[in-house]
Amino acid sequence: MNFQFENLQQLLAMEGHGPFVWTAVVVSLAVMIRLVTKPMADSKAAQKDVARDIARATNSNGEA
Amino acid sequence: MNWLTNWSPSWQWFHRLGSPRWFYQTTGRWLPWLSLLTLVLLGTGLVWGLGFAPQDAKQGNSFRIIYLHVPASFLALAGYYIMAIAGAIGLIWKMKLSYMVMKSAAPIGAALTFLALFTGAVWGKPTWGTYWVWDARVTSMLILLFLYLGVLALQYAFHSNEAGNRASAILALVGTVNIPIIYKSVDWWYTLHQPATIKLTSAPSMHPDMFQPLLVMILGFYCFYAVTLCLYTRAEILRRERKSSWVKELVVKGQKS
């Protein structure tokens, strides 16, 4: 098993097919990263909401 | 329905599986390992496929898109089964967690179907001379995308969660008709799309040097799917169960550490 390209330029060019291949790679990675970061941000936001509810509940208890 | 869940201890796992809390805690333990495995598989497969696999005799280097196109298409289809089965379990056993899984599977499936179509388009240009053809395989995949988006949209089209869940589940189940059509489309109709590279019943039509990295990528995508489905479902659990004591405890514990 050998590396198929002589240098980085050849790897990027892929004998003319580079733009197609690398567009597919970049878009795929972008979508996949989004699929991971989106639910993580949602989780964080949900936990923040819960924390705020708890803080509010303890505050109103203290006043009463 | 008690007889269904109580008649034997073997149903305990099913009962526990329905508990959002149990799901959240268990997946929390698995996720770091599963994520690591996903990264290793995808990293290896991508470098292997893009740099080391020999180029295709007819298609040259453009064929390397296969290492993204085929795994994304695989999971776009497998994810539909997961969504439809989760919807069916929700309808039959009224299991909350199952509906949450169904709802989580919709955006992931839509994203993967989009990727399958997009990578197919940029592969089509150098091989077919066009980004898009209205042929059976491509069109039935586009319908799959609309089904995913439909399930997603129905979730928000009703005031009550319950009604939205039921409508989504029914659309997901009806849409399964499309899945065998997608699989068989390359055999049933005259199409530009090449026939399946991998079949369960026969040896792959690819050289092992090209096939092995593809297998790594497909495994990597399966793991990736599992990771994202867990992440989405966990976020949905936190959102829906925010009033429950275990979520509050979890948040308090998180604040202390």
Side-chain angles (χ1 to χ4, degrees), chain A residues 1-5 14-15 17 20-21 23-25 27-28 32 35-36 38-39 42-43 46-47 50-51 54, chain B residues 42 48 50-53 55 59 61-62 64 68 115 118-119 122 125 224 228 231-232 235 238 242 251 255:
Chain A
M1 196 171 64
N2 293 315
F3 195 63
Q4 300 290 313
F5 304 94
M14 287 199 170
E15 294 171 8
H17 287 150
F20 302 106
V21 176
T23 307
V25 172
V27 171
S28 298
M32 289 168 83
L35 278 178
V36 171
K38 169 78 166 55
D42 287 352
S43 276
Q47 296 202 25
V50 175
I54 294 172
Chain B
L42 290 180
W48 192 353
L50 291 175
F52 290 88
Q55 54 170 269
Q59 300 185 10
N61 283 312
S62 69
R64 293 181 196 281
L68 294 162
L115 275 188
F118 183 85
T119 54
V122 289
K125 187 65 186 169
F224 172 80
T228 50
L231 287 175
Y232 268 90
L238 286 183
R242 61 185 178 277
V251 170
Q255 281 172 331

